[in-house]
């Protein structure tokens, strides 16, 4: 071809490429007209659902995580879920290396089950992740469109308890292949899905490590409430084990929670918000003292 490939071709029309065959002098010997239509990848190729989240359906169960994101002026970390976790390599597909990015944006109306008549009102919304930002994320409720590779579903201020375990409808607000070719409304509607946020700890289990129904603590033989007596697992069938209490492995500068640290045998507790937890005094106890 001796000219630039056009970028304004429609999907519903047939086009032709005229191919000319020339001799060594540049004279045209013959021509051929080749028909073609413009095609782009299906929108579903970008939104390949993670089996562990959606289990072959359009209804996802998302186990929340904790990041430095927060609803502006909220007193506690908002229940939240990074929507890219629900899809296979979503961010990489939208922005391939050394290639033009594809536009994809999510929206939600923030009502339980998408029902705008629900009495709870708009209790969730989508915000944009700002990994490098130290300021709280301001939640953008309603149908504000957020880049899918940066979108987090979050509870509104003070609504964690209302949001927990409820379905929220996520829709595709905008989709353009390589930022140019727009997908149809039907294409976008077909990719609608729901997310239900839950806690891997709350949905998990805590039991006696030896399989018994009770844990016996007898002061006469100086037994203690220690980690080895418990088996704490997260939500899945197999379950990921986690620690209930500090252990020797967590000392010397490492942390169980971001606000509890152990350094050189000393415990420091720095709550993120003194409205939630205020530390007045930390005392060390010796074995048997005060009943411990």
């Amino acid at each position: 071809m001796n000219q630039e490939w056009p970028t304004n071709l429609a999907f519903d029309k047939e086009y032709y490429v005229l191919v000319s065959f020339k001799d060594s002098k540049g004279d045209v010997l013959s021509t051929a007209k080749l028909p073609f239509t413009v095609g782009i990848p299906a929108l579903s190729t970008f939104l390949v659902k993670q089996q562990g989240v959606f289990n072959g359906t359009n209804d996802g169960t998302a186990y929340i995580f904790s990041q430095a994101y927060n609803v502006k002026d909220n007193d506690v970390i908002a229940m939240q879920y990074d929507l890219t976790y629900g899809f296979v390599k979503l961010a990489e597909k939208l922005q391939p290396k050394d290639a033009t990015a594809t536009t994809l944006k999510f929206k939600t109306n923030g009502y339980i089950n998408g029902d705008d008549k629900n009495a709870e009102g708009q209790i969730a919304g989508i915000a944009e992740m700002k990994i490098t930002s130290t300021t709280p994320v301001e939640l953008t409720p309603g149908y504000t469109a957020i880049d899918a590779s940066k979108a987090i579903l979050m509870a509104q201020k003070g609504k964690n308890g209302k949001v927990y375990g409820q379905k929220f409808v996520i829709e595709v607000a905008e989709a353009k292949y390589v930022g140019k070719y727009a997908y149809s409304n039907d294409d976008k509607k077909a990719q609608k899905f729901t997310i239900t946020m839950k806690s891997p700890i709350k949905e998990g289990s805590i039991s006696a490590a030896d399989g018994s129904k009770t844990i016996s603590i007898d002061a006469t033989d100086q037994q203690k409430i220690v980690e080895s007596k418990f088996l704490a697992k997260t939500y899945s069938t197999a379950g990921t084990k986690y620690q209930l209490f500090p252990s020797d492995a967590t000392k010397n500068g490492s942390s169980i929670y971001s606000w509890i640290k152990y350094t050189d045998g000393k415990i420091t507790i720095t709550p993120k918000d003194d409205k939630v937890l205020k530390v007045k005094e930390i005392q060390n106890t010796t074995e048997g003292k005060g009943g411990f």
Side-chain angles (χ1 to χ4, degrees), residues 162-226:
K162 300 288 186 181
V163 166
Y164 191 92
Q166 300 291 347
K167 284 184 180 180
F168 293 91
V169 178
I170 313 297
E171 298 177 89
V172 174
E174 182 181 348
K176 292 182 180 179
Y177 181 62
V178 296
K180 177 70 177 178
Y181 300 103
Y183 287 91
S184 70
N185 287 333
D186 287 342
D187 289 334
K188 291 184 289 186
K189 288 178 181 178
Q191 298 308 312
K192 182 169 64 176
F193 60 94
T194 70
I195 289 291
T196 301
M197 290 192 287
K198 293 184 177 182
S199 163
I201 303 299
K202 181 178 175 64
E203 302 299 321
S205 64
I206 300 174
S207 59
D210 61 6
S212 59
K213 293 184 178 180
T214 59
I215 297 174
S216 176
I217 306 298
D218 188 347
T220 59
D221 61 9
Q222 296 185 340
Q223 289 189 25
K224 301 182 208 177
I225 302 177
V226 294

Side-chain angles (χ1 to χ4, degrees), residues 29-49:
L29 299 175
S30 63
T31 60
K33 187 183 288 187
L34 305 178
F36 72 93
T37 55
V38 177
I40 59 175
L43 188 53
S44 60
T45 61
F46 295 97
L47 294 171
V48 177
K49 297 178 178 66

Side-chain angles (χ1 to χ4, degrees), residues 217-270:
I217 306 298
D218 188 347
T220 59
D221 61 9
Q222 296 185 340
Q223 289 189 25
K224 301 182 208 177
I225 302 177
V226 294
E227 186 75 36
S228 60
K229 292 184 178 294
F230 295 87
L231 177 60
K233 298 193 301 182
T234 56
Y235 66 96
S236 66
T237 303
T240 299
K241 296 179 183 179
Y242 66 92
Q243 287 187 315
L244 285 173
F245 310 120
S247 67
D248 290 341
T250 64
K251 294 180 181 179
N252 298 322
S254 60
S255 172
I256 294 181
Y257 303 106
S258 60
W259 43 274
I260 304 178
K261 294 188 177 181
Y262 305 83
T263 306
D264 298 326
K266 295 182 179 179
I267 299 174
T268 57
I269 301 178
T270 309

Side-chain angles (χ1 to χ4, degrees), residues 45-170:
T45 61
F46 295 97
L47 294 171
V48 177
K49 297 178 178 66
Q50 292 283 9
Q51 178 67 17
V53 175
F54 289 94
N55 195 28
T57 72
N58 290 322
D59 299 315
T61 300
Y63 289 91
I64 57 179
F65 67 100
S66 178
Q67 290 281 11
Y69 311 130
N70 203 346
V71 177
K72 189 176 181 181
D73 298 328
N74 203 348
D75 294 336
V76 297
I77 295 295
M79 185 175 293
Q80 59 198 245
Y81 182 69
D82 179 346
L83 291 173
T84 63
Y85 284 20
F87 303 92
V88 179
K89 297 184 177 180
L90 176 58
E92 293 93 326
K93 290 177 180 178
L94 293 176
Q95 179 58 82
K97 185 178 180 181
D98 301 325
T100 304
T102 289
T103 302
L104 181 63
K105 295 182 179 182
F106 288 145
K107 65 181 180 181
T108 182
N109 70 355
Y111 290 85
I112 295 173
N113 294 320
D115 177 12
D116 60 8
K117 301 295 190 298
N118 190 285
E120 297 295 349
Q122 289 180 301
I123 59 176
I126 294 181
E128 181 179 351
M129 287 187 290
K130 297 179 181 178
I131 301 295
T132 60
S133 174
T134 57
T135 58
V137 170
E138 184 171 1
L139 185 66
T140 51
Y143 274 79
T144 303
I146 298 295
D147 184 344
S149 63
K150 300 177 181 178
I152 49 176
L153 179 65
M154 299 178 72
Q156 285 272 28
K157 179 180 178 180
K159 299 297 184 180
N160 278 355
K162 300 288 186 181
V163 166
Y164 191 92
Q166 300 291 347
K167 284 184 180 180
F168 293 91
V169 178
I170 313 297

